[in-house]
Amino acid sequence: MTRDEWRWFVRQDGTEHCDADDRCKAVCGEIAQALGRCGYRTDILPYPGECGVQFRSVAQAAGMGRTGTNAFLLHPVWGPWIQLRLLATDVVSRETLVCSSPACTRCGGCVTACPAGAILKDSFDGLLCHSYRGGKGEYTPFGPERELKYCTICADVCPIGRQPKSSTDPFKDNR
Ligand code: SF4
Ligand code: SF4
């Protein structure tokens, strides 16, 4: 996994994409096809803003990790560096879901590092985060590649999981 896979771009039709999400959707598509061949119905849900379902809550209930102070779902191995997608299906599972242990150590690194003051020890202010990022022009495509240079400070400082490798930091100019 490299950091470049987490760079988001805006296509000419206005849709956003990054390699990590493209791959995630491709895997969902393969699973959907396999289930379809067995007669099950499936639907790959759009992002929470469109479908109203918070992906990290579902992922947490499925035992993939626990939400940390920085509001990311923290996977025990990959920390915040995971891409989530939901595949709805009418398959009935006989497995009992096992909840993951909390990975967040409450070290406070993200609380101190957030330039917007959006992360508190016991809560996360999504509006503060959003308005800080909007003020930095993060929602406006940048340069010929139409990149969105999203803030990743609260993921960068988090000691949980493996940081993606990168020789250059595409986000540094936006801090
Ligand atoms: S994305 Fe940036 S502004 Fe938003 S909570 Fe994380 S560090 Fe703060
Ligand atoms: S930086 Fe520390 S407090 Fe914040 S989410 Fe990661 S482990 Fe938890």
Side-chain angles (χ1 to χ4, degrees):
M1 185 169 66
T2 69
R3 205 177 170 88
D4 280 350
E5 291 174 77
W6 301 95
R7 293 171 66 189
W8 285 86
F9 300 91
V10 182
R11 297 188 184 95
Q12 289 301 333
D13 66 4
T15 55
E16 299 174 11
H17 73 105
C18 74
D19 285 350
D21 189 48
D22 289 346
R23 237 195 294 164
C24 198
K25 279 189 292 190
V27 170
C28 282
E30 286 169 23
I31 296 170
Q33 277 189 3
L35 291 174
R37 285 194 291 275
C38 298
Y40 295 109
R41 291 181 297 161
T42 55
D43 194 9
I44 301 172
L45 300 188
Y47 264 132
E50 293 170 56
C51 77
V53 180
Q54 195 179 58
F55 288 7
R56 67 170 180 265
S57 299
V58 177
Q60 179 166 299
M64 284 185 61
R66 297 285 278 273
T67 303
T69 301
N70 58 8
F72 284 104
L73 184 90
L74 299 183
H75 186 274
V77 175
W78 299 105
W81 297 98
I82 55 172
Q83 190 69 27
L84 296 176
R85 280 279 170 181
L86 285 192
L87 179 69
T89 174
D90 56 358
V91 174
V92 177
S93 171
R94 293 194 181 90
E95 299 294 322
T96 304
L97 298 177
V98 179
C99 281
S100 168
S101 311
C104 176
T105 60
R106 308 277 169 198
C107 70
C110 56
V111 177
T112 308
C114 174
I119 308 175
L120 304 174
K121 282 207 164 146
D122 299 312
S123 62
F124 175 76
D125 190 329
L127 280 178
L128 267 183
C129 169
H130 190 270
S131 69
Y132 168 84
R133 294 165 64 172
K136 298 285 274 182
E138 291 195 11
Y139 306 116
T140 306
F142 175 85
E145 291 186 284
R146 295 172 58 78
E147 182 174 357
L148 295 169
K149 296 197 171 199
Y150 285 146
C151 174
T152 60
I153 294 171
C154 52
D156 293 337
V157 298
C158 186
I160 309 303
R162 299 178 200 165
Q163 287 278 335
K165 296 180 215 137
S166 175
S167 50
T168 58
D169 181 351
F171 303 96
K172 71 177 182 213
D173 296 337
N174 207 36
R175 289 182 184 160

